[in-house]
Amino acid sequence: MSYDEAIKRIEAIVKELEQSEALSMDVYKKKAQDAKELLDFCEKQLGVMEKELLV
C-alpha cells in the first residue's frame, strides 16, 4: 500500500463516519481501529522519507 492509498482510505472512513447517523459500537470501533492503523502507516512512511532527506 502506498501513502496516497492510505490517505484515501482514511478519508473514506472519516466521510463514512460523518455521514452515518447511527453505527453500532462494534462497527465504530472497527473503523476507528482501521483508521488508526492507516495513520500509523502514514506516520511511519513520513518518518522514512524524512530520514532519506536528511542523508
Side-chain angles (χ1 to χ4, degrees), residues 2 9 13 16-17 24 29-30 34 38 45 55:
S2 71
R9 288 179 63 190
I13 290 170
E16 188 174 339
L17 291 173
S24 72
K29 181 179 176 183
K30 173 68 173 131
D34 291 347
L38 291 164
Q45 292 299 308
V55 173

Side-chain angles (χ1 to χ4, degrees), residues 4-5 8 12-13 16 23 25 28-29 35 44-45 47 50:
D4 291 335
E5 291 170 334
K8 286 179 184 177
I13 290 170
E16 188 174 339
L23 290 175
M25 185 55 75
Y28 184 85
K29 181 179 176 183
K44 184 178 178 181
Q45 292 299 308
E50 181 181 31

Side-chain angles (χ1 to χ4, degrees), residues 28-44:
Y28 184 85
K29 181 179 176 183
K30 173 68 173 131
K31 291 187 180 300
Q33 288 172 333
D34 291 347
K36 170 82 169 85
E37 289 174 10
L38 291 164
L39 287 168
D40 290 345
F41 171 81
C42 289
E43 182 179 23
K44 184 178 178 181

Side-chain angles (χ1 to χ4, degrees), residues 3 43-55:
Y3 177 87
E43 182 179 23
K44 184 178 178 181
Q45 292 299 308
L46 289 172
V48 168
M49 184 173 61
E50 181 181 31
K51 286 180 184 178
E52 289 175 357
L53 291 173
L54 295 175
V55 173

